[in-house]
Amino acid sequence: MKTPILEMKHIRKTFASTVALGDVDLNVYPGEIRGLIGENGSGKSTISSIAAGMQKADSGEMLYHGKTWTPGSMIEALSGGIGMIVQESGTIQGVSVAENMFLGETKQFPGPFGSIDRKAMNTKADEALRAIGIQNVSGATPMAALDFQTRKLVEIAKVVMKDPEILVVDETTTALSQEGRQILYDLMKRLRDEGKAVLFISHDLEEIMEVCDTLTVLRDGAIIRHFTKDEFDADQIRTSMIGRELQGDYYRSDFTPSHWNEVAVELRNVSFGEALEDVSITFRKGEIVGIGGLSHCGMHPLGKILFGAIRPDSGEVVTGSGVRITSETVAMRENFGYVSKDRDVESLSLTASIRDNIAIAGMERYAVNNFLMLSSREKVYVDKQIADLSIKCADRDQSVSQLSGGNKQKVVFGKWIGRGSEVLILDCPTRGVDIGVKRAMYQLMAELKKEGKSIIMISEEMPELMGMSDRLIIMKDGRITKEFERSADLSDTEIIKYMI
């Protein structure tokens, strides 16, 4: 038997009255990629973040190479040999790539008169980026100029350049294109082959079965079962995760495209920098329109333009009643809602409560005469969204930062559904959520469609695009290359031809 690199014994962690981990034991061995899987709130991110110094356990002990392991911070843990790539944004926008990578360590690049030798720092950052296969970014690049995926690759390079013995990857692949995912997979395999270890958290069962050597399933803060590679079985893993068989349809069961006759919103000849070129699309009420393509095809800026968050260089966004969408304020007044791919930065205030995050978008729904805010009415409004969406939390005043990824996403949905949004722009709506929450979201989308809502679903996940869309619009290099209607005969092979 191999000796474990890390031993976690009787680990317990609570948030208010919620038990995130209850008396959990976990060993991590050299030369393995160990998957962690479970529904949102199962405890997989919590146990990983405790190992990586992000937070402390309430009780229990950890041993790293047989010695007590109590890192006081992620920086301390990384310097000791355990590095973590967090689920959401782990970079600072206002500085360069190199300054992000060497945050708090710039003294190793001394310049004249106590300054920083930025050229040396940028060169070192470039070397770290190239070492994991990132060719198109330099250390001097402003972080704000990078998209969400590329920022995530920078985070990976930052952690890996410290040569960790255990790399924790928390839902990172949901932010990456296939090219970015391959960079990460190759890196994980390299670390394993060097006798190091990877803790890999993912909700993608197919992915986790492909890349992992062992798999640990958590449910409700407890470890349910460990699987070895030869024991991997999708049905058994799913049953272990949720403790029951999934009931009801996952995606839509019908294969007939349908919509109401009324136009909800139109994109008219919209262009934006190099991202979009003369794009026109009509979205109808009672219709789910999927928009897919590779990461840089232009679909993500398109979503922001629809919501008025960015102004196009030319063209316009017009509602069915003739109102031009020129800002987020106008979009909200016209009952638009927008779920961003970059959830923690653009859709939530992590320092605020569940109550504040949901209530802020719907004040006119519970205010008296659009003026007087009554706490009692606000509570009823928020509690309805918590109940309707089954948000797992201690209470409405719990901080959003303490929620799992799936429950955070439910809060974002609650913010827009609660105010009665008629047009919902969903950018990667199921990113980082488990199969149970995904099913609930798909069923919710189907119900909203029946109510006549217009749903614009931007996604990098082919199964959900095919499984939910009435129409599927494929983009490449800022242009529409093909439009498909819903059909049982539609194949991903046919669709992918128009993406690449």
Side-chain angles (χ1 to χ4, degrees):
M1 289 289 292
K2 293 181 180 177
T3 301
I5 303 173
L6 177 69
E7 299 172 77
M8 305 181 75
K9 302 178 179 181
H10 306 296
I11 301 298
R12 182 176 175 82
K13 180 69 177 179
T14 59
F15 297 101
S17 60
T18 301
V19 178
L21 292 172
D23 196 34
V24 169
D25 295 344
L26 180 68
N27 291 341
V28 182
Y29 293 90
E32 75 167 349
I33 300 174
R34 176 175 292 274
L36 295 181
I37 197 167
E39 292 190 278
N40 288 113
S42 62
K44 55 193 182 300
S45 292
T46 303
I47 194 167
S48 300
S49 63
I50 289 170
M54 181 185 290
Q55 57 187 331
K56 291 187 178 296
D58 297 336
S59 59
E61 67 171 334
M62 295 187 290
L63 300 177
Y64 181 60
H65 287 298
K67 298 180 180 179
T68 300
W69 177 251
T70 55
S73 67
M74 292 182 71
I75 294 174
E76 184 180 331
L78 181 56
S79 65
I82 300 180
M84 182 174 185
I85 305 161
V86 297
Q87 182 175 349
E88 296 300 331
S89 180
T91 55
I92 299 171
Q93 290 283 77
V95 296
S96 71
V97 167
E99 287 169 315
N100 266 278
M101 293 177 69
F102 296 102
L103 192 66
E105 300 178 322
T106 54
K107 289 183 180 179
Q108 63 180 288
F109 306 105
F113 308 110
S115 64
I116 299 169
D117 186 343
R118 296 188 181 278
K119 183 177 180 181
M121 183 172 66
N122 290 341
T123 299
K124 191 73 172 177
D126 289 346
E127 291 173 358
L129 292 165
R130 305 299 173 261
I132 68 165
I134 304 172
Q135 305 297 332
N136 59 347
V137 179
S138 74
T141 304
M143 187 60 70
L146 304 181
D147 60 20
F148 186 47
Q149 170 189 253
T150 310
R151 295 200 304 271
K152 188 57 64 177
L153 290 172
V154 169
E155 290 179 50
I156 294 171
K158 175 181 178 178
V159 172
V160 171
M161 74 178 178
K162 292 293 187 180
D163 195 26
E165 196 158 359
I166 298 176
L167 176 66
V168 181
V169 181
D170 188 1
E171 287 291 347
T172 301
T173 53
T174 59
L176 301 177
S177 66
Q178 190 54 49
E179 180 183 7
R181 291 181 187 194
Q182 196 57 54
I183 288 173
L184 181 57
Y185 296 154
D186 291 345
L187 174 63
M188 290 162 56
K189 291 172 183 175
R190 189 184 84 197
L191 292 172
R192 176 193 62 193
D193 294 345
E194 291 173 355
K196 298 171 182 176
V198 178
L199 274 177
F200 183 66
I201 301 171
S202 175
H203 287 302
D204 188 329
L205 185 53
E206 183 177 329
E207 173 186 57
I208 215 164
M209 291 174 66
E210 176 67 27
V211 303
C212 295
D213 306 304
T214 54
L215 177 61
T216 296
V217 178
L218 292 98
R219 186 172 75 235
D220 297 329
I223 289 177
I224 301 302
R225 181 174 171 183
H226 299 291
F227 290 85
T228 58
K229 188 79 169 181
D230 60 352
E231 294 173 327
F232 285 1
D233 176 85
D235 290 336
Q236 288 190 35
I237 294 169
R238 286 193 192 98
T239 301
S240 297
M241 286 171 60
I242 63 179
R244 64 191 187 281
E245 295 293 334
L246 282 172
Q247 300 298 316
D249 294 321
Y250 194 62
Y251 301 116
R252 287 169 58 183
S253 56
D254 67 284
F255 289 100
T256 304
S258 62
H259 57 76
W260 294 16
N261 291 327
E262 300 171 71
V263 171
V265 62
E266 288 183 271
L267 277 170
R268 297 178 179 172
N269 306 110
V270 167
S271 295
F272 177 67
E274 297 180 356
L276 294 170
E277 185 176 348
D278 196 30
V279 175
S280 296
I281 309 173
T282 297
F283 303 96
R284 299 177 182 87
K285 295 183 178 181
E287 180 181 39
I288 300 174
V289 178
I291 302 178
L294 301 181
S295 186
H296 299 287
C297 68
M299 59 186 179
H300 301 301
L302 184 148
K304 292 187 176 184
I305 288 171
L306 278 167
F307 191 61
I310 55 179
R311 295 286 296 272
D313 298 332
S314 60
E316 59 183 357
V317 179
V318 184
T319 69
S321 58
V323 177
R324 293 181 68 240
I325 302 298
T326 56
S327 68
E328 293 161 293
T329 301
V330 175
M332 289 181 66
R333 192 170 65 227
E334 294 300 311
N335 281 330
F336 281 45
Y338 173 64
V339 176
S340 170
K341 177 181 179 181
D342 196 352
R343 178 177 58 225
D344 282 11
V345 174
E346 297 179 346
S347 289
L348 293 171
S349 173
L350 294 181
T351 58
S353 66
I354 298 167
R355 171 178 173 170
D356 290 342
N357 272 278
I358 291 176
I360 192 169
M363 289 186 286
E364 69 271 26
R365 297 296 189 272
Y366 58 80
V368 178
N369 297 325
N370 290 322
F371 173 72
L372 181 61
M373 304 296 172
L374 297 180
S375 178
S376 58
R377 292 182 60 161
E378 180 190 68
K379 289 176 182 176
V380 170
Y381 176 87
V382 172
D383 287 348
K384 184 177 189 305
Q385 303 314 312
I386 292 173
D388 287 354
L389 293 168
S390 301
I391 298 171
K392 187 177 179 181
C393 60
D395 55 51
R396 73 177 79 89
D397 293 313
Q398 184 177 1
S399 172
V400 165
S401 63
Q402 295 179 343
L403 299 181
S404 66
N407 284 299
K408 285 180 182 176
Q409 193 73 332
K410 288 181 179 181
V411 170
V412 179
F413 268 67
K415 177 167 69 173
W416 298 117
I417 292 171
R419 72 187 310 274
S421 298
E422 294 294 327
V423 177
L424 280 166
I425 304 152
L426 311 178
D427 193 343
C428 297
T430 62
R431 187 179 73 81
V433 305
D434 63 58
I435 56 173
V437 175
K438 279 187 178 182
R439 180 180 60 87
M441 288 182 172
Y442 296 146
Q443 291 178 342
L444 175 62
M445 289 166 62
E447 286 301 314
L448 293 170
K449 168 186 162 61
K450 290 178 183 177
E451 294 172 9
K453 315 291 189 186
S454 180
I455 298 174
I456 301 154
M457 182 176 65
I458 300 164
S459 177
E460 296 166 7
E461 303 296 331
M462 188 68 71
E464 71 181 8
L465 287 169
M466 295 171 62
M468 295 303 300
S469 303
D470 292 293
R471 281 187 295 148
L472 174 52
I473 295 170
I474 302 302
M475 298 185 65
K476 176 186 175 185
D477 298 331
R479 288 176 170 268
I480 295 171
T481 56
K482 185 70 174 178
E483 181 173 317
F484 296 92
E485 280 207 333
R486 183 170 188 78
S487 169
D489 299 324
L490 192 59
S491 71
D492 53 3
T493 304
E494 177 68 14
I495 295 170
I496 289 169
K497 288 194 302 186
Y498 294 93
M499 291 184 176
I500 59 178

